[in-house]
Amino acid sequence: DVRHWPYVGSVATYLNEKRDRQRRQVPDNIALPFPFSSQREGEVPRAGPYPAWLGGAYQPHFTEFVGEATRTFTKTLGAKQLEVREPYMGITPDSRFTLGPAATLPADISAERFTRRRSLLEQLDAGRRAVDAAGGPGEFDKHRELAYSLVASDRVGHALDVRQESAPVRDRYGMTLFGQSCLAARRLVEAGSRFVTVFWDEYGLAGSAWDTHSNHYPRMKEELCPGFDRGYAGLITDLDERGLLDETLVLCISEHGRTPKLANVSGGGRDHWSRAYSAVLAGGGVTRGAVLGRTDKIASDVQERPVSPKDILATSYHLLGIDPETLLSDRLGRPLALTPNGRVLSEILA
């Protein structure tokens, strides 16, 4: 939706591309584990991590999850209950991720034949490209170039195939959808992708995942915390041991907090709360062990050093080598501030 603000991964890719026009075999702005909100039912499509007015060329490259869940869990949405096989609680060892059939060379087409086809197409397009050169490549050209690079190189497919890792490494992250997504993210960073996102997205029903409006404690204990704790700790530890943490910024953030008091519903529930919540930053120039800000004893309101989401965004751009005061132009050519009223959190920088 062009009314919304572009996703941070789309903005980072757009600005990186402007200063580095070299073709990349491993794309930036890859998102795991599957297209946003694609595995749930119960609500209409909603806003999400999309490029908005930057255009479709900067859409995140969503992976597809190929695997099976090993555990079931009963999910609730109002009066509706649904028992689903829950991959966030466990998946089979042969599970993996792909960028879909569009990134795979058909079995009946050899690499040589593919190269000849591309050469012919480029000759046919030569005239059009010469005419369009002054305006730069359009969305279609960007998608086609990406498709060429993905098909011609197996680097992305190899990085997404977490089965290539040893059993102890996979077990460190946890055999869950979130844990193995974090492992795939580390492999993508090693392969050269500069912006990777792992979403803990709703599965089965809307109002699931971390949206704990009901059955808060059972879900936190059985469904959510075990997989998160293992996956996040595995990622940070693995990056650190490989010497990658200092050059890789890891953000763990949510869209809002939860009410400090339980709602009187089945199993207890915590609703949406915007007045106070936390974010965790690690690696990539962040001081280890630093804590910034404080709430009251029930995490209801900020009492010391308030931090806004725009401050987190400005700090993230700064650590990514992007000036937070950069101006973007929307489709009407209007200059828009990248992080209006946001400031870099110098207190947490190493």
Side-chain angles (χ1 to χ4, degrees), residues 11 27 43 53 59-60 65 72 105 107 146 152 156 158 163 166 169 185 201 220 235 244 258 269 288 312 315 346-347:
V11 173
E43 289 183 0
W53 37 262
Q59 177 86 349
F65 171 62
T72 60
L105 198 63
L146 175 63
V156 176
H158 179 78
R163 298 173 302 177
S166 67
V169 170
D201 201 4
M220 293 290 284
L235 174 64
L244 293 171
R258 312 301 297 188
R288 298 190 179 197
I312 298 291
T315 305
S346 58
E347 301 98 315

Side-chain angles (χ1 to χ4, degrees), residues 10 21 43 59 100 126 152 154 174 182 190 217 237 240 265 269 282 286 302 307 326 338 341 345:
S10 301
R21 295 186 176 276
E43 289 183 0
Q59 177 86 349
D154 64 353
C182 288
E190 285 185 309
Y217 286 118
T237 304
D240 197 23
V265 296
V286 175
V302 177
V307 172
T326 298
L338 188 58
N341 302 317
L345 302 173

Side-chain angles (χ1 to χ4, degrees), residues 109-187:
I109 298 181
S110 66
E112 181 181 358
R113 185 179 177 189
F114 171 75
T115 301
R116 291 200 305 268
R117 284 187 173 189
R118 178 176 184 177
S119 176
L120 176 60
L121 182 60
E122 287 180 343
Q123 293 177 55
L124 294 173
D125 283 351
R128 181 185 62 82
R129 288 201 305 273
V131 173
D132 294 343
E139 291 183 10
F140 177 76
D141 294 306
K142 291 179 184 294
H143 286 303
R144 187 165 65 185
E145 286 303 311
L146 175 63
Y148 281 144
S149 65
L150 292 176
V151 172
S153 171
D154 64 353
R155 291 179 64 182
V156 176
H158 179 78
L160 288 172
D161 190 355
V162 292
R163 298 173 302 177
Q164 304 294 323
E165 295 284 349
S166 67
V169 170
R170 297 191 71 184
D171 188 60
R172 163 182 274 185
Y173 285 80
M175 284 304 301
T176 66
L177 183 58
F178 177 73
Q180 296 303 293
S181 295
C182 288
L183 175 55
R186 187 268 287 167
R187 290 173 59 83

Side-chain angles (χ1 to χ4, degrees), residues 18 36 57 80 95 104 132 154-155 163 181 205 213 215 226 236 307 335:
K18 288 185 67 175
F36 198 63
K80 184 175 183 179
S95 299
T104 305
D132 294 343
D154 64 353
R155 291 179 64 182
R163 298 173 302 177
S181 295
L205 280 179
H213 293 289
N215 297 314
I236 298 299
V307 172

